[in-house]
Amino acid sequence: MATITQTDTIKTITTHYIDGAFVESHGREVMDIIKPTNGQVIGRVTLGDEEDTRRAIAAAKRAFTSFSRTTKEERSRYLRRLHEAVSARIDDLTDVMVEEYGGVVRFARLIVESGVAAFAAAEKGLQELPLKRSWGKTTVTLEPVGVAGLITAWNANALFICLKLASAVAAGCTVVLKPSEMSSLQTRVMVECLNAAGLPKGVFNVVTGLGTVVGAELVRNPDVAKISFTGSVAVGEAIMRDGAATMKRITLELGGKSPTIVLDDAALDKAIPSALILAFMNSGQACAAGTRLLVPRSRLDEVKQAIQEGMRTFTVGDPADPNIMVGPMVSQKQFERVESYIRKGIEEGTEVLVGGEGRPKGLEAGYFVKPTVFVNVKNDMAIAQEEIFGPVLSVIAYDSEDDAIRIANDSKYGLHSAVMGTDLDRARRVASQLRAGRVVINNMTDDPQAPWGGFKYSGVGREYGKYGIEAFLEPKAILE
Ligand code: NAD
């Protein structure tokens, strides 16, 4: 099915996906999609309005009546079909992520594969989650909460859509998805996959549009019971505030300023390359990016040397090239934001160990920045406290294990952390004292059954596996 029309090199999308069909947008505003490697227009998307959103909500509400009564087995079957349908187009989904978002190909593929894995993880989570428990004369069932509004960010579009949809479907909820408007081309390929899975019509609906229009309607509409949101703290706060009027159930996956603690017994030849991957993954546009590197003051010189060596592999350039590690920023706005923080870091009196202001040589056309490492950073500086969302790493020296833990926790965020060390018991002891939703020891690793989400300003609630499904369920007790 051709759902994208292409004239020369510009792709045009004028439809949304509502009630099992691609339907023309009621909203008329058109937005350009810009390719981040060269600033050229590669797409035009017609943005949905409140009317499109209400039509999608009505379709989801109609479908909820029967979908909410499906059995675990039926929903498992749908999850398997979704898994198959998205698996079949991993290459296409990767290519469009590279083109529209500028994600480096090796990482973009991992993101898409994680999205595919989310359906299998939800199926497993559903099997492990008892939806009914009885004792004495009491029976407790976990029931789908209702129509869910799913609102996503632009930095890992495929993953967010699959993850949220998988949990909602597993729970028996129907959904209206509002992807980031900046991910419209990626979303369209994804919706073609989801459509191919053949779920009952109305179970998932997709309206592309602005957050302040489509997103706001989802948040205020009384027929939407739940919002699952991934994005910035500022918008998360607005959703919580505005959602209160209709008593929304709310999951918020927000920002981070994650610490990586290198303990003094760490093998630097392993710890520093791992720490650099944590910091610069997805070109630094990652909520979990380990952007504060906490190192023992006694080993600072060795660390600086290891970083300089390690950074040679963090090449910047065309994200379609499999040898490239850092791609462009997603937009001009994001480019300016990252540059302004690099300037701020210099003004705050830190030492620029690697990178600095301005575009890398030969990459003047796109939104490229230089991967930058600051040393002599104090944890109260803006570059250590505020989420930059770009390839900028702050190295902070500490004096003792307790000092490292104190600095790590001295942040408004608490999404992700890492501990690097040779003595595993000690690393575990440090990990247990970190105020973060997830801590990895010695390497970036993942487990789709483990919960994902933040302490403090990093969010409310959890995603993944059974924890993610529970967020779309409501306990009900029947007492005889
Ligand atoms: P954003 O908050 O600007 O936008 C996120 C989504 O919200 C978009 O779809 C946007 O259109 C929509 N939106 C905007 N205003 C809205 C409103 N008033 N009501 C409803 N929806 C609205 O964030 P972004 O710039 O797209 O993404 C970057 C942020 O996302 C970073 O802070 C990053 O840390 C965070 N993030 C968090 C996670 C996580 O899992 N915790 C993952 C990825 C990104």
Side-chain angles (χ1 to χ4, degrees):
M1 180 187 327
T3 61
I4 303 184
T5 48
Q6 183 154 356
T7 45
D8 299 327
T9 50
I10 297 186
K11 297 174 179 131
T12 307
I13 299 172
T14 60
T15 55
H16 307 292
Y17 185 81
I18 299 176
D19 214 12
F22 290 93
V23 297
E24 282 299 317
S25 182
H26 178 269
R28 302 309 323 149
E29 196 182 332
V30 175
M31 187 184 115
D32 287 341
I33 301 290
I34 310 285
K35 184 169 172 152
T37 50
N38 59 16
Q40 311 231 313
V41 177
I42 52 164
R44 290 215 168 90
V45 56
T46 306
L47 300 171
D49 63 8
E50 288 85 351
E51 180 58 28
D52 294 303
T53 316
R54 285 194 284 267
R55 285 176 189 169
I57 294 169
K61 189 179 175 187
R62 283 192 299 276
F64 183 74
T65 309
S66 53
F67 196 67
S68 58
R69 294 195 197 120
T70 48
T71 61
K72 256 189 180 185
E73 288 63 38
E74 286 170 294
R75 301 206 290 271
S76 294
R77 222 170 26 247
Y78 289 135
L79 288 167
R80 280 198 293 278
R81 273 165 37 187
L82 287 163
H83 183 271
E84 262 170 46
V86 182
S87 300
R89 293 190 65 187
I90 288 179
D91 287 347
D92 294 343
L93 287 160
T94 304
D95 291 349
V96 69
M97 181 169 173
V98 172
E99 191 186 24
E100 180 180 41
Y101 162 65
V104 291
V105 64
R106 56 163 77 189
F107 195 80
R109 178 167 280 274
L110 282 180
I111 295 260
V112 173
E113 287 171 351
S114 306
V116 171
F119 292 113
E123 191 198 339
K124 187 161 184 278
L126 181 60
Q127 293 314 326
E128 286 170 3
L129 185 66
L131 295 181
K132 187 171 177 182
R133 286 183 61 209
S134 301
W135 62 90
K137 292 183 174 180
T138 299
T139 302
V140 176
T141 52
L142 298 180
E143 309 219 335
V145 66
V147 172
L150 314 180
I151 303 177
T152 65
W154 41 259
N155 63 321
N157 182 67
L159 171 58
F160 302 144
I161 292 180
C162 293
L163 184 55
K164 290 184 192 300
L165 180 65
S167 300
V169 165
C173 288
T174 57
V175 312
V176 178
L177 165 75
K178 193 218 87 66
S180 169
E181 55 280 19
M182 288 158 68
S183 308
S184 298
L185 302 182
Q186 297 166 76
T187 300
R188 182 46 57 107
V189 179
M190 178 59 81
V191 177
E192 289 171 6
C193 296
L194 304 178
N195 180 49
L199 265 58
K201 63 180 195 165
V203 168
F204 78 92
N205 306 272
V206 183
V207 180
T208 296
L210 299 178
T212 46
V213 178
V214 177
E217 177 62 30
L218 287 173
V219 172
R220 85 169 78 90
N221 194 297
D223 286 334
V224 176
K226 157 101 195 168
I227 295 286
S228 177
F229 170 81
T230 297
S232 61
V233 169
V235 175
E237 284 174 357
I239 288 176
M240 238 181 163
R241 197 173 49 239
D242 299 346
T246 47
M247 209 51 81
K248 292 280 188 288
R249 279 63 181 145
I250 291 178
T251 300
L252 301 176
E253 295 292 348
L254 310 177
K257 192 74 200 177
S258 301
T260 298
I261 299 180
V262 175
L263 294 171
D264 58 13
D265 68 347
L268 293 186
D269 58 335
K270 293 199 178 65
I272 295 301
S274 291
L276 295 178
I277 288 174
L278 272 161
F280 296 107
M281 62 182 171
N282 209 7
S283 310
Q285 297 178 129
C287 53
T291 49
R292 289 186 297 148
L293 182 60
L294 278 43
V295 303
R297 199 177 301 281
S298 57
R299 299 191 69 184
L300 189 55
D301 288 341
E302 283 173 82
V303 167
K304 280 164 73 169
Q305 209 177 347
I307 290 176
Q308 274 168 325
E309 229 156 84
M311 285 306 289
R312 289 203 196 105
T313 60
F314 282 83
T315 44
V316 193
D318 178 2
D321 177 343
N323 296 315
I324 290 295
M325 294 287 278
V326 178
M329 302 295 90
V330 71
S331 62
Q332 174 72 24
K333 186 173 157 210
Q334 192 64 16
F335 168 82
E336 283 165 13
R337 177 187 167 87
V338 176
E339 285 292 312
S340 77
Y341 273 106
I342 294 176
R343 245 187 330 273
K344 201 173 274 183
I346 295 166
E347 283 160 14
E348 282 180 312
T350 63
E351 175 193 338
V352 180
L353 186 67
V354 181
E357 266 189 282
R359 288 178 161 86
K361 220 166 170 244
L363 294 168
E364 287 77 14
Y367 307 134
F368 294 95
V369 301
K370 293 181 194 150
T372 296
V373 182
F374 289 116
V375 287
N376 291 341
V377 178
K378 296 200 174 55
N379 197 52
D380 60 1
M381 290 177 176
I383 56 162
Q385 287 294 322
E386 294 169 22
E387 186 185 45
I388 300 174
F389 223 54
V392 182
L393 174 64
S394 292
V395 179
I396 302 167
Y398 67 80
D399 295 311
S400 64
E401 192 178 297
D402 285 347
D403 194 30
I405 294 165
R406 182 191 60 75
I407 296 171
N409 289 334
D410 180 15
S411 167
K412 71 187 239 188
Y413 295 108
L415 185 61
H416 199 270
S417 301
V419 183
M420 314 272 180
T422 303
D423 177 347
L424 278 182
D425 283 337
R426 182 179 173 210
R428 288 187 195 115
R429 189 178 69 226
V430 171
S432 73
Q433 295 173 76
L434 298 180
R435 303 275 300 157
R438 196 181 273 202
V439 187
V440 294
I441 294 181
N442 280 341
N443 237 324
M444 186 59 181
T445 178
D446 192 21
D447 173 358
Q449 296 303 321
W452 176 269
F455 282 34
K456 304 187 266 184
Y457 277 75
S458 289
V460 175
R462 294 292 181 270
E463 294 196 286
Y464 274 102
K466 94 177 175 59
Y467 301 91
I469 301 169
E470 276 170 347
F472 289 89
L473 292 166
E474 194 92 89
K476 177 165 118 190
I478 297 182
L479 290 77
E480 291 174 21

